[in-house]
Amino acid sequence: MAGKGRARAEQARTQMYRELVLGSAERVFAERGYHASKMQEVATEAGISLGTLYSVFPGKGDVFEALHETRGEAFLARIESALHEASPVRVALWHAVRAFVEFLVEHPDYFRVDLREGRSWAVGDVEASPAFQKGIAQWTDLIARGIDEEVFRDDDPLVLATTVFGLMQVQLAALVVKGDERDPGRIARRVASSVERQVCRLEVLAETPPWEAEVA
Amino acid sequence: MAGKGRARAEQARTQMYRELVLGSAERVFAERGYHASKMQEVATEAGISLGTLYSVFPGKGDVFEALHETRGEAFLARIESALHEASPVRVALWHAVRAFVEFLVEHPDYFRVDLREGRSWAVGDVEASPAFQKGIAQWTDLIARGIDEEVFRDDDPLVLATTVFGLMQVQLAALVVKGDERDPGRIARRVASSVERQVCRLEVLAETPPWEAEVA
Amino acid sequence: MAGKGRARAEQARTQMYRELVLGSAERVFAERGYHASKMQEVATEAGISLGTLYSVFPGKGDVFEALHETRGEAFLARIESALHEASPVRVALWHAVRAFVEFLVEHPDYFRVDLREGRSWAVGDVEASPAFQKGIAQWTDLIARGIDEEVFRDDDPLVLATTVFGLMQVQLAALVVKGDERDPGRIARRVASSVERQVCRLEVLAETPPWEAEVA
Amino acid sequence: MAGKGRARAEQARTQMYRELVLGSAERVFAERGYHASKMQEVATEAGISLGTLYSVFPGKGDVFEALHETRGEAFLARIESALHEASPVRVALWHAVRAFVEFLVEHPDYFRVDLREGRSWAVGDVEASPAFQKGIAQWTDLIARGIDEEVFRDDDPLVLATTVFGLMQVQLAALVVKGDERDPGRIARRVASSVERQVCRLEVLAETPPWEAEVA
DNA sequence: GATGAATGAGCCTTCATTCAT
DNA sequence: GATGAATGAAGGCTCATTCAT
């Protein structure tokens, strides 16, 4: 039946437009912030019409949500895969931090959108996206394992994960914007160093960190 | 001339209203965010009419700015006075962190407003409020002193200060909202502990922290 | 009975305030125009409070109307008395024009208010003030007499009166603002000359005008 | 490239709407006056929505200005072309007056808008539109020429032009509204007659006026 | 399906008017 | 009676959303 091919083609086109729009929205929201951005700008930046934009997203808020959903999903997946490679929890942490840093360095507009929202997610406000929730859960699991293995200090894993999440964001922003660090590798090591200080037991901190062990 | 008393009375009334409005705006902005808040809501929450609201603030943006200005000023002053009491840098840091935590615990709505807007963070294109600039300067000085005295680890003081500032905010939010910590004293100690991990040299971390020394 | 004195005192006070307000309104309306003028400005210029202003006038529109009523009344009276003195119609016209010019030169603010608003003119749907109606009637009578006596040209007296009225206003404005004529006597003579050209028969125009006859 | 046609189409549509709105604004402003007119009324009268109205004019004031600009321009052009045809200054004056009258008889709403503003232009108030300034300049030139050729009486050309301008407005209003003259030809002759009386030397007035010469 | 012109609900702000002191 | 602080109705303008082409 021809309907199937038709349907698939439509699916594909819709998907294509959604991605086009998300890329555009990312840039526009990063530049002006969500509220100051107009749908017309998003459409123009995407190179499509308002009507097409509305044919793939029901409203402005949905574009914003989808942006977080999509980028968040990719973000999560990236970190997830980083976690799967490694076994010792300290190495896993290092890989996760590196993945975190690399992703945001590669997606500076998304990072700016994130920063603009402030730390609303930290207080569990309604607007906090599911992706954030899942991200926090991911880190919570990792940290719980570290505590269990007596590598990380004994504290509430959720609080620690939330703290680490914010710490990475803030420090990344500080390094990139305030400082003049540009090399992703060095940024990742500095952020990882900060994170380790936050979570590792003191005696673990004295040992050679994973990123130096790697080089060796 | 009677005009003087009259002028003073008006001054006082205006001041009273401004504070009333700031308190109301703080709650409304905390609840719905700046853009979703309507001036009518702010007025109603303050228990006054729109006209009266506009008689003490020229516009919506000015209310927001004044809120940051006023609370930021008080915030700075509180920390400043904490810094002036103490001499050893580690004690000074402890006092500053405690003042930071106490202020935000006492002003939870302002804290939420702060968390909501990315203004305080280093987004670059977003104009951070003057109060925030001064606040960062304050912490940068303290940290530079700590580095100089070889108590804190050797790093860019501005990056460190920005990081610490964000770390405190995030962890405070995490402790209060995610966790169930309510006692300001314990919160302050936990935040201070995190901050010390971030800035102190490892050998310093091994020593008894100021808050335990205080108790003894 | 004491009530009578009381009532008379109140009457007097009200009257006093009304005049105070009209003087103030005249200046304010002249400066900014009716719509751009605020009641607060009128009150302040009058040196009284808003409440007092509203105790003697029901609303903004009433102040405007009363201004036209009052000044118009005085204006009419001035011209009326000028008309009563003289007998030959050409002399009467001259006296009336002189009175017209003198009044407006003495009340420049009222003149500006008059010029600003099209009320005085025959717009049809705009309610011309009763005072203006009476003024036009006055001039219409004078002109009808002139036509009757075969001194003025034979035309519709109402149209001629309206035209003359407007002509005087416009030329007065032109002489004072565009030109640099300041002397009321010369202004009056030039305006009268224009008016005569408008209404007198050509053969009458050739005769010595009343203002020169006066001097002689 | 197709963009060109697109741009031209948009240009045309915008132009069409601007004229639609100006026509509507003309009627609404004539009826209620500028300040009492609401943008919604102007839009409704034009048969479009508020949004569309604002898509072709930035604000209320701009509609008013554009109205004066556009009509004023046409007005000026009409008179200019009348002036260019004729050589003897008295004939030129007659043609200009006729053009003046015809234009306003054809655009009664614009005339009413004009009348509503009063004679502000006569006192050189800031609000006086550039079109008025140009119009006055036009008449001033004509009158200066007449004085030069010793057809018009020797007086300040600017004062005379201003007077004539006002005289025409006022008399036209008187004839149309107060009187019951409807025939543009007769109105023009009566206005021209008044104007000639205002500007021509007496000996010239005795000669056959241009409009009678024309008929012959 | 794609377009973007058209719509109009909704928000910020002003100022005539009221009324408690 | 005088005051002027307080009120809130009304209007200019924006922009998310719709729908005719």
Side-chain angles (χ1 to χ4, degrees), chain B residues 35-201:
Chain B
H35 284 283
S37 302
K38 299 169 212 164
M39 286 300 262
Q40 181 57 252
E41 288 180 296
V42 174
T44 302
E45 171 77 24
I48 61 177
S49 73
L50 261 182
T52 303
L53 169 46
Y54 274 94
S55 77
V56 295
F57 286 107
K60 191 180 179 185
D62 303 273
V63 175
F64 190 71
E65 269 179 38
L67 176 60
H68 275 62
E69 215 72 22
T70 310
R71 292 288 184 268
E73 215 66 56
F75 200 6
L76 286 179
R78 180 82 150 259
I79 292 167
E80 197 73 49
S81 80
L83 290 173
H84 280 333
E85 296 169 17
S87 207
V89 74
R90 207 182 169 199
V91 175
L93 179 66
W94 154 237
H95 286 173
V97 170
R98 189 174 54 187
F100 182 100
V101 167
E102 281 170 355
F103 186 90
L104 291 183
V105 165
E106 285 166 21
H107 300 86
D109 287 320
Y110 175 61
F111 185 34
R112 287 172 71 199
V113 173
D114 231 32
L115 286 174
R116 267 182 185 282
E117 327 288 337
R119 281 175 54 114
S120 359
W121 268 273
V123 191
D125 43 16
V126 171
E127 233 37 60
S129 67
F132 178 73
Q133 307 279 16
K134 273 190 257 174
I136 286 295
Q138 210 175 37
W139 289 86
T140 305
D141 287 350
L142 177 67
I143 283 169
R145 176 156 77 95
I147 294 170
D148 210 49
E149 296 179 11
E150 304 194 326
V151 176
F152 297 165
R153 67 194 175 96
D154 191 21
D155 203 340
D156 179 340
L158 179 57
V159 170
L160 219 41
T162 310
T163 305
V164 163
F165 209 84
L167 174 61
M168 290 189 296
Q169 280 199 11
V170 168
Q171 208 189 19
L172 183 52
L175 283 170
V176 172
V177 182
K178 300 281 181 183
D180 52 357
E181 192 72 84
R182 287 292 170 275
D183 175 57
R186 278 226 299 285
I187 294 175
R189 287 195 293 278
R190 291 180 70 175
V191 173
S193 173
S194 277
V195 169
E196 286 215 323
R197 281 175 163 267
Q198 198 56 223
V199 300
C200 290
R201 292 174 173 228

Side-chain angles (χ1 to χ4, degrees), chain B residues 20-30 37 42 45 63 67 113:
Chain B
L20 200 59
V21 168
L22 291 179
S24 144
E26 194 172 51
R27 289 188 294 280
V28 175
F29 291 165
S37 302
V42 174
E45 171 77 24
V63 175
L67 176 60
V113 173

Side-chain angles (χ1 to χ4, degrees), chain D residues 10 48 60 64 78 99 129 136 146 179 181 185 203-205 211:
Chain D
E10 187 183 318
I48 61 177
K60 190 181 179 184
F64 192 69
R78 179 82 150 259
S129 69
I136 292 291
E181 191 70 86
E203 60 268 29
V204 174
L205 280 182
W211 49 94

Side-chain angles (χ1 to χ4, degrees), chain C residues 35 112 115-118 121-126 133 153 155-156 158-159 162-163 166-167 170-171 173-175 177-179 190 193-194 196-202 205-206, chain D residues 30-31 35 112 115-123 125 127 153 155-156 158-159 162-163 166-167 170-171 173-175 177-179 190 193-194 197-198 200-202 205-206:
Chain C
H35 278 98
R112 285 172 72 199
L115 286 173
R116 269 182 184 281
E117 326 288 337
W121 270 273
V123 192
D125 43 17
V126 170
Q133 308 280 13
R153 65 192 175 101
D155 203 342
D156 179 340
L158 179 56
V159 170
T162 312
T163 304
L167 175 62
V170 168
Q171 209 190 17
L175 283 171
V177 181
K178 299 282 180 183
R190 290 180 69 176
S193 173
S194 277
E196 285 215 323
R197 282 175 162 266
Q198 198 55 225
V199 300
C200 290
R201 292 175 173 228
L202 289 187
L205 282 182
Chain D
E31 192 64 34
H35 285 284
R112 287 168 72 202
L115 286 176
R116 275 186 176 283
E117 286 177 73
R119 310 282 96 55
S120 297
W121 51 266
V123 284
D125 268 348
E127 301 91 345
R153 66 192 174 99
D155 202 342
D156 179 340
L158 180 55
V159 170
T162 309
T163 305
L167 175 61
V170 167
Q171 208 189 20
L175 283 170
V177 183
K178 295 281 180 189
R190 290 180 70 175
S193 173
S194 278
R197 281 178 162 266
Q198 197 54 225
C200 289
R201 290 176 173 227
L202 290 187
L205 280 182

Side-chain angles (χ1 to χ4, degrees), chain C residues 124-146:
Chain C
D125 43 17
V126 170
E127 235 35 60
S129 67
F132 179 72
Q133 308 280 13
K134 274 188 257 174
I136 286 296
Q138 209 175 38
W139 288 85
T140 305
D141 287 350
L142 178 65
I143 282 167
R145 176 156 78 94

